[in-house]
Amino acid sequence: GAVVSQHPSWVICKSGTSVKIECRSLDFQATTMFWYRQFPKQSLMLMATSNEGSKATYEQGVEKDKFLINHASLTLSTLTVTSAHPEDSSFYICSARDRDSYYGYTFGSGTRLTVV
Amino acid sequence: GQNIDQPTEMTATEGAIVQINCTYQTSGFNGLFWYQQHAGEAPTFLSYNVLDGLEEKGRFSSFLSRSKGYSYLLLKELQMKDSASYLCAVRDHPGTALIFGKGTTLSVSS
C-alpha cells in the first residue's frame, strides 16, 4: 500500500534554532499534503494544507512565517519550524492525499519535536 | 463551525464489548473515519463510512447515521492491546483535510 516516510522521528533542538521535517510519499504522487500538530492528550489539529507547486494554506492562528511549508515536488513536502520555542514542542504528523486509495489518506509516522 | 464530540475516556475489561460514540456537526459531509492511536505513534486507520449503516471488519465495526450526525465504533472481544486512543474524524468536502475529534482513551483491564 501507499507509504509516507516522515523524518526525523524525533528531534531535540535549542530554543531559537530551526528544524526541518520531511515527508516523502513512496510509490504514489502526493498532490496534496496536510500538516497536523498534536499536543499531549489532545487530538490532531490541522495546521496547513499544501498543494504541489503552490503556496500552502494555513489554518487560523497558525503563523505562516514561523511554520514554513514547501511542497516543491509530487513526492516531497517539508515543514520548517523557524526560531523554535518550547511552546512549539509537539508531535507533528503529515498526511498525504492518495487518490488511488479507497480511504484517501496516508499518514506519516510523526515527528516528536522537543525544544529546550 | 465544525464540531466533533466523543467521550474523553472509557474503561472495559478483556473479552468485553465496548461502543465509542461520536457526534458531528460540520459544514458538509463526505465520509467519517475511525483511527486508533497508541501514545507517541501516528494514527492507524480502522474504518470508513460514507453511507448509512454498519461496516464490519473483524473485531471492529463502525456505524453511521448521517441524518443524526452520529457514528459509533464497536470493539468486540477486547484485548489488552486495544488500550489506545480512538479518534473520530470527518471529511466535510471531497479532497479536504480530515477534522478530528479529541479522541477517546480506552483502557482495557484484565
Side-chain angles (χ1 to χ4, degrees), chain A residues 66-79:
Chain A
K66 180 171 183 63
F67 299 98
L68 302 180
I69 291 173
N70 185 287
H71 195 162
S73 79
L74 288 170
T75 58
L76 175 64
S77 179
T78 62
L79 167 67

Side-chain angles (χ1 to χ4, degrees), chain B residues 27-88:
Chain B
S27 58
F29 182 80
N30 189 249
L32 187 141
F33 298 72
W34 283 97
Y35 286 86
Q36 180 191 63
Q37 186 180 30
H38 286 100
E41 299 181 7
T44 303
F45 172 81
L46 290 178
S47 70
Y48 167 66
N49 296 69
V50 67
L51 300 176
D52 290 350
L54 188 67
E55 292 282 341
E56 296 187 83
K57 204 174 177 183
R59 292 190 299 117
F60 294 2
S61 303
S62 57
F63 171 83
L64 174 68
S65 168
R66 288 172 297 170
S67 62
K68 295 181 180 178
Y70 168 70
S71 172
Y72 68 71
L73 179 69
L74 193 70
L75 294 78
K76 304 175 186 175
E77 301 170 15
L78 281 173
Q79 302 173 12
M80 297 291 284
K81 66 178 182 179
D82 296 328
S83 293
S85 182
Y86 291 85
L87 307 176
C88 174

